[in-house]
Each structure stands twice: as structure tokens, then as C-alpha cells.
Amino acid sequence: MVRRRCPLMAEAICLVGHRQTRNRGTLGGSLCHLDPSAELVSVAAALDATVIVACPNGQREIAFADFPVAYMTPAIEPNELVTAVRFPVWPKGHGYAFIEFARRHGDFAIVSAGALLVEDEAGKIQRAAVVIGGMGMVPIRAAELEQALIGHAPHDKLLREACETCRKLDAVDDVHAPASYRQHLATVLSRRALEAASARLPSRAAAAPAS
């Protein structure tokens, strides 16, 4: 069901650690840990998820954009518990892709990129979401890149030029990679994710040669 209704999550989960990690971890636990390189954290950002938390006095809903308050610190009180997460479902036939660069399979990503696309009847992008993980305190929605795609067919020149905006995103320097390297990865991976997502759009999939 997840693969059919929310394929971005299904693709991202395959990159989470190893099978033992995936079998023992939980979705809510990953979101509360809030590592900016974690795949499910990026998926929640891309899909504009809503986190439901409960305490003895009742429950409240937190938009995922408001969920991080500091590095690896979610907006939940000491007496609150995450009880559910709602992921809005994109329309049938949307394009999607999630890719990352890590030193080894199973490691946290140095940078990741997730993309979602919806096309109109003319094959032009009607809706887009691009999230970059591993750049800073939280995954970043590449708003300038998303806007550059709207109203255009996703051809190679457009994707290359639009993804260059990722070089301007704020990024951290740490022992794993300098900020400039992360910005370069964001530019390259966002383009690759968008290329894969656009190839899954109905107009592109129908035109692809049979294998």
C-alpha cells in the first residue's frame, strides 16, 4: 500500500540503514530523533507531513515545517508523545525519486535529494517539491528550484539551470564534508532526482521505449 500510495517513502526507506535497522526502528522515532540526514525526515519535509502529539491534557497537531526547533530537537514537550503522522498523498501518476550520497551503504547521507512532480495535460510541471537533506539543521525545501520548474516541461536544459540554484543554499562545514562540497552535491543530486522523477511522469513513461 505504501509503495502504491506514497512511493517516495517506499524508495527512501530502502536507503535507511540496513534491514535490521529498518525492522527495529520506527517512523515516529526517526522524526523525533530529527537527524537532518535521515531519509524519513526528508520525506516528511517533502510531503508537508503533520505530526500528532498527545499528553494527559489532550492532543495537538504540528505542521512538519514547524516541528524542528533546533538541531535534532523537535517541538514536543517533555510530557508529550508522538502518536501519529499524516503524510498527504500526491495524485496518481506523479513523478517521484529519492537519492543520496553516503560513504557506505547504510551510513547517514552526506547529502540527499527527494523530488515530487505533477504534470498537466500539456506535459508541463504543475506542482513540484524538492527537498535536500544533510545540508544543515533540517532538510531544506528548495523553494527557488521548485518555482523555476512550474509551467515548464522538464527538459535537460531546464533541470540543469534550475538546479544550479542549490549552490546558493546554506550548508554546514563538518568532519564529513565542507559546505562547498555539500552545495555541489545538492546541485548534482537534485538534478538526478528530478530526472528520475520526470521519467516516471505519465507523458515520459508512455514515450519511453519498451525494454
Side-chain angles (χ1 to χ4, degrees):
M1 181 187 297
V2 173
R3 189 177 298 279
R4 185 175 71 253
R5 301 294 301 278
C6 191
L8 182 71
M9 180 182 290
E11 189 155 284
I13 282 176
C14 292
L15 299 173
V16 176
H18 300 281
R19 189 178 298 275
Q20 297 93 327
T21 309
R22 296 194 291 271
N23 286 345
R24 299 178 71 176
T26 66
L27 189 154
S30 179
L31 298 190
C32 288
H33 186 58
L34 210 58
D35 190 298
S37 295
E39 293 83 0
L40 289 173
V41 177
S42 286
V43 170
L47 290 169
D48 296 313
T50 299
V51 182
I52 295 91
V53 300
C55 72
N57 298 323
Q59 69 176 31
R60 64 189 179 104
E61 299 183 356
I62 308 171
F64 192 76
D66 301 322
F67 193 60
V69 294
Y71 178 64
M72 298 178 75
T73 306
I76 55 177
E77 300 299 327
N79 67 337
E80 289 182 321
L81 182 72
V82 170
T83 57
V85 186
R86 286 204 301 268
F87 291 89
V89 175
W90 279 48
K92 184 178 179 181
H94 70 274
Y96 64 92
F98 194 98
I99 60 176
E100 67 182 29
F101 178 82
R103 292 196 197 182
R104 300 169 300 180
H105 173 69
D107 284 1
F108 277 104
I110 294 176
V111 172
S112 65
L116 293 160
L117 297 173
V118 174
E119 64 179 357
D120 61 19
E121 294 180 355
K124 296 181 179 180
I125 300 303
Q126 188 176 56
R127 181 182 177 191
V130 180
V131 63
I132 309 296
M135 297 286 280
M137 183 182 78
V138 294
I140 300 170
R141 282 288 293 271
E144 186 176 351
L145 169 54
E146 293 175 357
Q147 192 58 40
L149 300 173
I150 303 301
H152 302 283
H155 54 77
D156 290 345
K157 185 174 184 292
L158 171 69
L159 298 185
R160 286 184 178 277
E161 292 179 352
C163 290
E164 283 296 317
T165 61
C166 291
R167 294 192 191 276
K168 299 184 291 183
L169 296 175
D170 291 334
V172 296
D173 278 296
D174 60 18
V175 296
H176 302 294
S180 59
Y181 186 57
R182 283 190 160 88
Q183 290 162 334
H184 174 69
L185 283 176
T187 302
V188 173
L189 296 183
S190 61
R191 176 174 53 81
R192 291 179 183 175
L194 285 167
E195 287 172 347
S198 63
R200 287 165 163 162
L201 290 170
S203 63
R204 299 299 184 92
S211 57

